[in-house]
Amino acid sequence: MATTPSHPGLKGHIAALLFGVMLPFSMAPWNWWPVGLLSIAGLLILLRQLSSNASFWRSFCYGLGLFGCGASWVFVSIHDHGQASVLLASLLTGLFVIALALVFAVPFTLYGAGLNRHAGMMVITFPAIWVLGEWWRGWIFSGFPWLYLGYGHLDTWLSGWAPIAGVLGISWVAALSGSLIGIIVLPRQKFTLSNFAVLIALFWLGGWYLQNETWTRPVGEPLRIGILQPALPLNVKWDSDQLNNILTLYREETEPLLGADLVIWPESAIPAFSDEVKPFLKEMAAEAIDQDTGLITGIPTRAFGQQYFNSVIGLGIASGTYHKQHLVPFGEYVPFERWLRGTIAFFDLPMSAFSPGPATQAPITANGIAIGTAICYEIVFQDLVARSARETNLLLTVSNDTWFGRSIGPHQHFQMARMRAMENRKPLIRATNDGITALISSQGEVVAKAPAYSRQTLSGYLTPKRGTTPFTERGSLPVLALCLLTLLMAAFTQQRSGNRH
C-alpha cells in the first residue's frame, strides 16, 4: 500500500525554511548548540516518506533558510565594499543563497529514494547524507565549506572527536543526535528513549573523555608573539596616495613589538607588490634581525610581471614565502572575467586577479619552528590545513575580515579557525586587519584576543607542538568512507527487503 507523504505542500516548505533559519544560531556568534539538534530533528521529520523530487524541494527550502540567515554577510561585501546598490546587492546575495540551497538539496534526492521510510533506516542514513552533503558543498564550484553543523559544538563535549574525525565527524555525531530526537518525536516508532540514551552516552561521553588526550607534545619554550591589528578602512588601504602613511603606521606600531620571537602583520598588510616597497621591507627586516625577531607579513607578490599572488613572506630571522592556493571567486579572481570585469565595481575589486599558488610549498620558518600558513578563506578548508599541519609546529592564518563589516561573518570565520587548531592540536595565530585577532592554543582555547574594529597590538605566548593527530594524518577520508559505506549497506538492505516483498 502506498504511503502518504508527511507534511505535504506549502506548510511543510515554510516549516523547513524556518528550521533552516534556526541552524546558524547554533554557531558563532550565538553558540546555542541545542538549536542545531532541533533543526536537524525538524528536517528529518519534514522529509519523512517524501519522494526524491519532494525531498529535493523540501531540502531546498531548508537551504534557503540556512544560507539566507547564515551567509547574510555576503550582502555587506557586495553593497558596502563592492559599491553595488541595495537592490543589486540584494539580487546578487539572493542568487548566491539560491545557488547554495540548490547544492544543499541535491544529496537529499538520494535520501528520498526509499531511505526515509522507516525509523531504523532514517536514523542511520540521514547523518550520512548530511555529512556527504557538507563535503559536497565544500568541493563543488571551488567549495563553500561554511556553516557546517559540527562548528556549533566547538565548546561542547563533542569537540573531543575533532583530533580523530575533524569537523565532519562532529557533524555526523550531531546529525545522529538530532535524528534520534526526531525519531523519538515521531509517533508509533519502535525506537525507545533507552536506545537514544545509549547512543548519546557513547558519543557524547566518549567526546568528553577524548578532550583530555593531548596527541601532540611541546617543542622548546613558549614563543612570545606580537600581532599588529591596524584597522585600516578599505577605502584608505587601497588608496595609492596613502601608501607612505600606511608604511609609517606599520613602522611606528611595530617598534614596541620588536624583541618578540614573532611579529605578525595581517593579510595584504602592505597594499603594494613586494618589489615596489623593497627599501621599506629591507629596513624592517634589518630592524627585526637586530631584535632577534621574525617578522611575517601578508603582501601581494608577482613573478615576472605575469602572475600575481596573495602571499605571506618572512623577514628578519623568519624566512620563506607562502602563496595562497585556494582563491576566493570574485574577491581574488573573477570567473568569466572577459564578460564580467568592469560591468560593476564589485567585479573590479582591488587585487582581484591573483593566480593560485602551487599545491606543495615549503613552510615559513623562524628559530627552527616550521609554520603552516593559511590565508583568509583557506582556513575553512579542513583538509588543506591538515596537510600543512603535518610537518609544522605552529599554524598561522592572516585575514582581512573588513570585507564582512560588523556582521556575523567574522565570528563564524574565527570559530572555524579555532576548529583547525583543535583538529590538529597545533597552536594557531590569527592576524586580521580589524578583528578577530587572537592567539589560540592547541586545544582550541583563546589565549589572548584583541578588541575588534580598532587599532590594537596584541602580545602573548604560544608553545609550538610536534606530532600529529589521526585527523592530521588521514583528514576527512575515514568519515566520508564511513558515510558512503553506510549508504551502500542501506541500499543493499533496501533492495533485499524489496525482493522479499
Side-chain angles (χ1 to χ4, degrees), residues 47-397:
L47 292 178
R48 181 183 175 224
Q49 296 185 357
L50 295 186
S51 67
S52 290
N53 185 61
S55 293
F56 175 85
W57 290 112
R58 184 64 54 82
S59 303
F60 171 74
C61 292
Y62 183 94
L64 287 179
L66 168 61
F67 298 108
C69 174
S72 56
W73 45 264
V74 172
F75 175 88
V76 177
S77 299
I78 299 173
H79 173 59
D80 292 2
H81 304 299
Q83 301 175 22
S85 66
V86 171
L87 181 61
L88 180 57
S90 300
L91 175 62
L92 292 175
T93 302
L95 292 174
F96 178 69
V97 169
I98 289 171
L100 288 174
L102 289 170
V103 170
F104 175 86
V106 167
F108 288 96
T109 58
L110 178 60
Y111 183 64
L115 302 179
N116 58 351
R117 301 290 188 267
H118 306 290
M121 187 71 74
M122 291 165 65
V123 79
I124 291 172
T125 58
F126 185 93
I129 292 287
W130 181 275
V131 169
L132 289 173
E134 288 189 336
W135 170 82
W136 150 262
R137 191 165 77 246
W139 170 79
I140 191 71
F141 303 131
S142 86
F144 186 72
W146 215 271
L147 298 172
Y148 283 4
L149 178 63
Y151 286 119
H153 295 273
L154 189 69
D155 295 306
T156 73
W157 288 356
L158 292 188
S159 64
W161 293 102
I164 297 176
V167 66
L168 291 183
I170 299 176
S171 288
W172 183 85
V173 179
L176 176 65
S177 302
S179 299
L180 286 167
I181 293 172
I183 293 298
I184 288 174
V185 171
L186 288 173
R188 297 184 299 278
Q189 299 301 328
K190 294 181 180 180
F191 267 68
T192 65
L193 187 59
S194 61
N195 299 124
F196 176 74
V198 168
L199 285 169
I200 289 299
L202 176 65
F203 290 110
W204 286 76
L205 292 177
W208 169 78
Y209 175 79
L210 289 167
Q211 284 181 321
N212 299 318
E213 192 69 40
T214 56
W215 300 105
T216 56
R217 56 194 183 278
V219 179
E221 297 297 318
L223 299 178
R224 182 186 164 205
I225 299 165
I227 308 175
L228 172 58
Q229 180 179 280
L232 287 169
L234 293 179
N235 61 339
V236 173
K237 178 173 180 176
W238 298 110
D239 182 350
S240 58
D241 293 335
Q242 295 293 326
L243 180 59
N244 288 333
N245 293 333
I246 292 172
L247 298 182
T248 300
L249 164 69
Y250 273 96
R251 182 186 295 109
E252 293 177 349
E253 295 290 333
T254 299
E255 185 175 350
L257 297 174
L258 292 176
D261 296 292
L262 291 174
V263 172
I264 313 295
W265 295 348
E267 178 188 14
S268 299
I270 307 303
F273 289 107
S274 57
D275 58 278
E276 296 177 319
V277 289
K278 276 186 176 180
F280 171 77
L281 294 178
K282 186 175 180 180
E283 176 187 344
M284 293 305 303
E287 290 186 24
I289 290 173
D290 287 342
Q291 298 291 330
D292 199 28
T293 296
L295 174 60
I296 298 177
T297 180
I299 190 169
T301 61
R302 54 188 172 186
F304 310 113
Q306 299 296 318
Q307 285 187 305
Y308 308 93
F309 299 102
N310 188 353
S311 306
V312 171
I313 63 173
L315 303 169
I317 66 169
S319 62
T321 299
Y322 173 78
H323 301 308
K324 188 176 183 181
Q325 301 175 49
H326 206 115
L327 303 179
V328 180
F330 303 108
E332 293 172 311
Y333 74 97
V334 179
F336 313 111
E337 182 174 12
R338 177 180 175 185
W339 295 279
L340 295 179
R341 178 73 75 182
T343 56
I344 60 174
F346 178 64
F347 297 140
D348 199 25
L349 294 173
M351 297 290 177
S352 59
F354 286 121
S355 299
T360 302
Q361 302 183 50
I364 293 173
T365 59
N367 280 328
I369 300 299
I371 302 168
T373 306
I375 299 177
C376 192
Y377 190 52
E378 288 184 315
I379 199 66
V380 308
F381 291 88
Q382 68 275 8
D383 293 299
L384 176 66
V385 176
R387 286 194 294 272
S388 70
R390 288 171 192 163
E391 304 298 331
T392 56
N393 312 113
L394 184 68
L395 299 177
L396 166 67
T397 179

